[in-house]
Structures are given as C-alpha cells and as structure tokens.
Amino acid sequence: MINYIYLTVLLPLIGFVINGLFGSKIKNEKVIGIIGSSTVGIAFLVTLFAFFETLNLPVENRSNTVELFTWLNVAGLNIKFAYLVDQLSLTMSLIVTGVGFLIHVYSIGYMHGDKGFWRFFAYLNLFIFAMMNLVLGDNFVVLFLGWEGVGLCSYLLIGFWYDRKFEKGTVPQAAKKAFVVNRIGDFGFLLGMFLIYYTFDSLNFNEVFHKAASFPVSEATFGLIAIFLFIGATGKSAQIPLFVWLPDAMAGPTPVSALIHAATMVTAGVYMVSRAAIIFASAPTVMMIVAVIGLLTALMAATIGLVQNDIKKVLAYSTVSQLGYMFLAAGVGAFSASIFHVMTHAFFKALLFLGAGSVIHGMHEEQNIQRYGGLKKYMPKTYVTFFIATLAIAGIPGLSGFFSKDEILWYSYANGGFLFWFIGVITAMMTAFYMFRLLSLTFYGKERFDHHHVHPHESPSVMTVPLMILAFFSVVGGYIGIPEVFSGEHGNLFHNWLEPVYAPAIARLNSFGSHSNLEEILLMIISVALALTSIYFAIKIYTQKPEIAEKISTRFKRLYTILLNKYYVDEIYEAAVVQPIQKGSEKILWKFTDNMIIDGAVNGIAKIVDASSGLIRKIQNGIAQFYAIIMLLGIALVLLWIILSI
C-alpha cells in the first residue's frame, strides 16, 4: 500500500468536495457525517496497511518516496509533488487519520442540528487533507503547502460560529487572531526555507539532510536556518512569544479544539523540528534556545492553568504546557521522546477535549466549572473516560502519559542538567494538580448548577464510543515505548522504530551523558510521588474543603489575579504592538501617506489641470470678433518675428 499512500490525502479531499458542493442539498446529517467520516476512516486503513508493509521491510529500505508529478521546474529549482513514506511520516499519519476519524464520528452527535452541519464536515475534511500533505510531504514546499492549509482551516473552524460572542470580542476576532499570529511565525519559516535553498541548492528533504550531514557548513549558517524554522514552529505550536492565539481558539466547536488544537495541527511545529533534526543538531545554541523556550512555555502555561474556570481554557493552557514538554525533549536531543509524547498526548488530550464537549453538551453549553459539580452520577461514561485521561496526563504509572512524560523528564536531566529536570517536574506537579482540580469541580462534590434550567444527561453513543476507544489507547498507547531500564534486551520499541530517521542527528550531537539505571528509577519515583501528592491535595481541597481554595485565593489575591488574567500578556501585546501599529497605520500610512501624499498628488494634479484648462477655456468664448482680433495679433507677431530675423 506504500505506492497508494496518496489515497490518504485524496480521500479527505473528495469528502471535502462532496460535502462542500452538495452538502447543502443533501441535508441528511447521517449521509453527510458518513461521507466525512468514512473518507478519513479509509485513509486510516490505507495508512495502517502501509505501516505494516513498511514494518516488514529491511530497516535500510523503510524510507520510500512516492512521486506524483513535477510541480515546479524553474531556473534550477525542481520541486516534485511527492510523498515521503518513512517511520516518522507514518507515525504522524496514523495519529492524524486515526484520531481524526474518531473526532469525525464524535462530531456527528455533537454538531447535530447545527445549521452549518455540512459546512463543518467539509472544513474538517479539508483540514485532514492539508495535515496529511504536511506530514507526508517529500520536501519543504509540499510541507509548507500543508502548513498554510491547516492555518486556513484553523481560521475557518475557529470562526465557524461566526455569529457568536466570545469573551471580550466575537468569534471572528478570535479566528483572525489565530490567523495573524500564525502569519508571523510563517514568515520566519519562509526565511528558513529561502536560506536552506541558498545553502544547499535544494528543498528536498533527503538532499538537504544528506548535505547537512556531510557538507562543510558553518555553525552560524545552521544556527540562522534553525532559528528561522523554530520561529515558524513557535507560531504553529503556540510557544513563547506566539502562544496567545491558542487559548482564544477555544471559540470554535469543541471537536475543533480536539482535532486541531490538541492532536494534530499544534504538533506540526514539533514535527517540523523533528524532521529537520540534523539541522538543529548542527546548531547547539539554537537547540538550547528550543529547550529553554519549551521549558518556560510549559511552566508559564501550567501556572495559568491552575486558576482558570472555563473547562476548555484549562485544557487549552494544558495543551500549551504539553507542547512545551515536546520542545524541551527536542531541545535536549531526545527527538524520539518528543514524537512519542506527540502520540500519547494525541490520545489523552483529544479524549479530554471530547469529554469536555460531552460535559458542555450535557450541561446545555455551560463551560464554567464553578457551575458544575456532582456530574459523575449523571454522565458515568464521560466521567470514567475523562478520569482515565486525567490520570494519563498526570503521569500516573501504567498509563500512556507516564511513559512519554517520564522519558522527557529523564532526558532533560541526562542531557540538560538538574535545573531542566527540576523545572520540568515542578511543571508536572502543577499539571496533576490543575487537572484533578478540573476533575473534582466537574464530577465530584456539591452540585452547583441550577436544576430548574440545567438537566445534565449522558451523551449519545455516537459521542461516547469514540471516548471509550481513546480511553483504551490512553491506557495502552504508552507500552510501545517502555523505557529501556524496564524493557531489557528488546529496548524501547518506539525508539527503535524511529532510530534510522534520527541517526545522523544523534551522531552529530554526541553529547548524551552516561547515567545509571538507578538514577533513572529514582527520578521516576520522585516525579510519581510528587504527582500523587498534587492529586491528593487537589481532590482534598476542591472536594472536601473548598474553603481552603478561597483562603488561598484571598491571601495571594495579587498573584491569583495575575494568573487569572494570564500574566496580562494579551494586554501587553495590545499596548506594545497592536495599538502602536494601528495608530501608526492611521496617522502615518492613512492620514499622511495615503491622504496627504498619494491623494494630495493625485488631487493636486487634477487641480492644476482644472485651473489651466479654466484659463484656456476663457479663450474659447464663441465671439467671432474676438477670434479675428486674436488671428490679427498672431499674424502681426509672426510678421514682426520675420522682420527682426532678416
């Protein structure tokens, strides 16, 4: 099936065309939902067959290129529209199509009765089409096509409910914010692509990475390329300073949050950095920047998540924090661990968002967790699956999140040092605390909603079955990446699978410290103990003694207010960037440049022509005697000129 990998891209495109052109005429929601979901489901099966086919090939033959046609061939720039089928692209493709299929099925129930039902599924299919181009592209140009495509689809899906309000503004404003912030990052990505072509005379992955590993290129050049690419990644994957768009992206329907802002699109930056691992490995200074930015993003987002009350906002900042962990792993050279966390995070975070959607659905669109409480008995299936996902993200042993998060913490210690590990484990403690705060305020304790207007109920099977499947993978998904300290001679299967992709980068790094298994186990025990302690206090405070939370928020009111307002980053950007640009555009570009210079020049020329034509118009007065006098004067002047010339 490797040669038919293009079907995984073509099928969602077909679904988009059918629902986009004929969905409004079909009208039957089941038919529209089946078309949208089945195209992604079949794409998943094709990817799965390609995976098993690749798995059966010798390791040296597991990277294959499927060329469709020549896209560009101009002045030495030869870009083929081709797909690269290797261990990394197949892993990402399985995540995109597998989790994407479950979210499509879930959306059939969640979006039931929406006036834009057909449009929603058309956008979802278009997103999967763009995302598959991104992860399968054989070169930076095809990747960038998918990169911009998911940006467009993100704008369309965030702004799907365009007639609704969202916090301080409207839903379209939230969509525009995501679009504009991503364009900043994309500009950096483009500069990186230009420099790659200038340096290596190619944009094809295999050629560029082979030359990067063997050609004599200065560290400064590698550093410049890597920093430009990372700027692009900070935009798409919501890292400091371009993280502000993702929380506002919660204005879209909850399945959008699950698909785009938890499982797939936001991990595009992580994928791109991992794909270009050899370039980053050749720029150690930028690697350190990646690790530090990832670590600071993880910590900052976790502190904000401690006090948020919107169920989707808590999960949004959790996503930003987990993305920070992924970049921390990539920054310390643990590229496989980074992608491993991408996979496990896709399972439990998609489950958390879909579970939140189930709660919102059952609570008649209420999203404030302070108005929930005691929902466990009303939504048993949602509760159990949400509880499993919460355990997974908290890093409890036996669940997928434990394996990937612990691996990142270990590599941050082994390759980055004690400080990296310490900040990482403190962030993990906060994650466990705010997630069980969310769980407690939602499903445990006193019922705080109005029983006269709100009647909680379990979601239909079309929504709960995807939750159960994701819960299953949230439990077992991590066992393909059991740490080597426990897996013995078999080693870490996930690392072994991706090792050929990262071999040149790891060889270039050559900086992994040697530490004993005892150290790894000890740090593992410490992180688990701290997570369990956080869980205990979260349940204790928000279920049994809520007055403690009130006392803490009162005693540390200033800090609480800062965290509740997200460090005022949006306000700072508004005052330091947005308003100066708007006012500068108004005064300089509009009133001075446009009105005074451009319009002034155009209008001034018109006035000169009008004035001069007014003078000439006075000569043409229609009086014959006047014309005769002018003619005589003209003849006299000519005769005078002739006489004087003799």
Side-chain angles (χ1 to χ4, degrees):
M1 293 299 293
I2 293 176
N3 292 330
Y4 297 99
I5 198 69
Y6 62 86
L7 292 175
T8 64
V9 183
L10 181 62
L11 286 167
L13 181 61
I14 292 173
F16 162 71
V17 171
I18 294 175
N19 280 331
L21 294 180
F22 308 108
S24 60
K25 298 178 181 178
I26 295 174
K27 295 183 179 179
N28 189 312
E29 288 187 356
K30 288 185 177 180
V31 174
I32 293 171
I34 289 172
I35 292 172
S37 302
S38 61
T39 53
V40 180
I42 297 171
F44 170 72
L45 292 177
V46 173
T47 307
L48 192 63
F49 286 130
F51 166 75
F52 284 114
E53 185 177 342
T54 302
L55 193 62
N56 291 325
L57 293 174
V59 175
E60 62 273 11
N61 295 330
R62 286 182 177 175
S63 179
N64 295 278
T65 300
V66 179
E67 183 180 328
L68 300 182
F69 55 86
T70 298
W71 189 3
L72 292 172
N73 191 2
V74 180
L77 176 62
N78 190 351
I79 303 297
K80 297 184 183 300
F81 206 102
Y83 296 131
L84 177 62
V85 184
D86 67 355
Q87 295 91 325
L88 179 57
S89 63
L90 282 172
T91 300
M92 294 297 297
S93 297
L94 286 171
I95 295 171
V96 172
T97 55
V99 177
F101 170 68
L102 294 175
I103 293 172
H104 273 71
V105 174
Y106 175 95
S107 299
I108 296 174
Y110 189 88
M111 299 300 293
H112 171 66
D114 192 278
K115 63 182 180 180
F117 189 90
W118 61 272
R119 186 165 51 88
F120 183 78
F121 274 87
Y123 291 166
L124 284 186
N125 279 165
L126 183 63
F127 171 81
I128 296 293
F129 163 76
M131 192 69 199
M132 290 301 289
N133 273 301
L134 192 157
V135 300
L136 283 172
D138 175 65
N139 54 73
F140 281 100
V141 180
V142 176
L143 186 153
F144 192 73
L145 170 69
W147 187 277
E148 291 300 294
V150 295
L152 169 64
C153 294
S154 176
Y155 171 79
L156 295 173
L157 287 165
I158 294 169
F160 183 78
W161 285 328
Y162 54 85
D163 53 349
R164 298 190 182 186
K165 296 287 185 180
F166 179 72
E167 289 192 350
K168 298 179 181 179
T170 63
V171 169
Q173 287 175 329
K176 184 174 70 173
K177 182 178 182 180
F179 192 81
V180 171
V181 172
N182 271 274
R183 297 294 72 73
I184 298 171
D186 294 351
F187 180 67
F189 189 13
L190 273 174
L191 292 178
M193 287 174 58
F194 295 155
L195 193 53
I196 286 172
Y197 182 70
Y198 177 80
T199 305
F200 301 109
D201 198 32
S202 176
L203 288 170
N204 178 274
F205 287 152
N206 289 329
E207 293 181 19
V208 170
F209 300 152
H210 173 73
K211 291 178 179 178
S214 57
F215 282 25
V217 179
S218 68
E219 185 178 316
T221 301
F222 276 123
L224 203 55
I225 295 173
I227 200 68
F228 282 143
L229 294 180
F230 183 59
I231 290 171
T234 59
K236 197 65 72 182
S237 295
Q239 297 295 286
I240 293 173
L242 302 179
F243 69 95
V244 292
W245 68 270
L246 193 143
D248 285 4
M250 298 302 109
T254 303
V256 174
S257 303
L259 178 64
I260 296 181
H261 308 118
T264 55
M265 181 188 123
V266 291
T267 61
V270 181
Y271 165 77
M272 186 264 287
V273 170
S274 296
R275 175 60 77 185
I278 182 61
I279 293 177
F280 283 85
S282 304
T285 302
V286 178
M287 287 278 284
M288 180 59 66
I289 293 173
V290 172
V292 171
I293 291 294
L295 191 62
L296 292 178
T297 302
L299 178 63
M300 185 183 73
T303 58
I304 296 174
L306 290 171
V307 300
Q308 297 302 307
N309 293 316
D310 186 310
I311 187 171
K312 289 175 69 175
K313 278 293 183 72
V314 176
L315 297 179
Y317 281 103
S318 170
T319 299
V320 175
S321 183
Q322 296 304 306
L323 289 166
Y325 270 113
M326 298 171 199
F327 280 107
L328 169 61
V332 297
F335 297 106
S336 293
S338 178
I339 296 299
F340 186 35
H341 198 55
V342 167
M343 184 189 73
T344 60
H345 178 263
F347 296 145
F348 58 70
K349 185 53 66 65
L351 174 55
L352 286 168
F353 267 113
L354 295 186
S358 181
V359 171
I360 295 168
H361 181 268
M363 291 295 290
H364 306 283
E365 303 305 314
E366 177 61 64
Q367 294 185 201
N368 190 335
I369 58 177
Q370 299 292 349
R371 298 172 185 168
Y372 289 166
L375 297 181
K376 177 181 176 181
K377 66 179 180 180
Y378 298 103
M379 307 176 185
K381 295 178 183 178
T382 300
Y383 162 69
V384 171
T385 55
F386 200 95
F387 178 70
I388 291 172
T390 306
L391 288 174
I393 194 174
I396 300 305
L399 288 90
S400 61
F402 163 75
F403 295 104
S404 58
K405 184 177 290 187
D406 178 76
E407 189 172 24
I408 291 174
L409 290 174
W410 166 244
Y411 277 114
S412 67
Y413 172 80
N415 301 337
F418 175 79
L419 182 60
F420 277 19
W421 174 84
F422 180 74
I423 297 175
V425 80
I426 293 297
T427 303
M429 281 183 62
M430 292 181 184
T431 302
F433 184 86
Y434 68 67
M435 285 307 304
F436 271 85
R437 169 183 178 265
L438 172 61
L439 184 78
S440 299
L441 290 175
T442 302
F443 293 102
Y444 302 150
K446 181 182 177 181
E447 297 177 4
R448 299 180 299 279
F449 51 87
D450 185 356
H451 287 79
H452 296 290
H453 298 92
V454 179
H455 305 284
H457 58 84
E458 185 61 274
S459 299
S461 297
V462 72
M463 294 172 64
T464 56
V465 170
L467 296 182
M468 296 174 189
I469 296 173
L470 286 169
F472 172 77
F473 284 105
S474 295
V475 175
V476 305
Y479 286 91
I480 62 172
I482 297 177
E484 294 181 10
V485 67
F486 296 130
S487 56
E489 61 181 14
H490 298 292
N492 188 316
L493 297 179
F494 193 81
H495 281 214
N496 294 342
W497 165 250
L498 291 178
E499 183 182 9
V501 178
Y502 299 125
I506 300 302
R508 179 67 59 87
L509 283 171
N510 195 28
S511 60
F512 291 98
S514 58
H515 301 275
S516 66
N517 291 341
L518 181 61
E519 281 183 287
E520 183 175 358
I521 294 173
L522 181 61
L523 293 178
M524 192 182 300
I525 293 172
I526 293 173
S527 65
V528 171
L530 292 175
L532 290 173
T533 303
S534 296
I535 291 171
Y536 171 78
F537 281 110
I539 296 176
K540 187 82 173 176
I541 292 172
Y542 293 101
T543 302
Q544 300 175 10
K545 297 184 178 181
E547 66 274 7
I548 295 178
E550 294 180 9
K551 289 180 180 178
I552 293 174
S553 62
T554 302
R555 185 172 181 180
F556 300 97
K557 186 175 181 180
R558 180 171 295 181
L559 177 61
Y560 179 83
T561 303
I562 291 173
L563 295 180
L564 190 63
N565 289 279
K566 310 133 196 170
Y567 293 103
Y568 297 99
V569 174
D570 282 313
E571 289 78 3
I572 293 171
Y573 282 4
E574 181 74 18
V577 179
V578 177
Q579 288 300 324
I581 290 177
Q582 287 183 345
K583 291 179 180 179
S585 299
E586 178 183 348
K587 293 180 179 179
I588 298 174
L589 298 179
W590 172 29
K591 293 184 177 180
F592 177 72
T593 306
D594 193 9
N595 286 359
M596 294 182 65
I597 297 179
I598 298 176
D599 287 352
V602 173
N603 295 334
I605 293 171
K607 289 179 180 179
I608 292 172
V609 172
D610 181 60
S612 59
S613 61
L615 294 174
I616 298 173
R617 187 167 56 247
K618 291 179 180 179
I619 298 175
Q620 302 291 330
N621 55 16
I623 301 173
Q625 294 89 335
F626 180 75
Y627 297 156
I629 293 172
I630 294 298
M631 290 174 64
L632 289 173
L633 287 174
I635 293 170
L637 289 172
V638 170
L639 290 174
L640 180 62
W641 179 74
I642 293 172
I643 293 170
L644 293 175
S645 299
I646 297 174

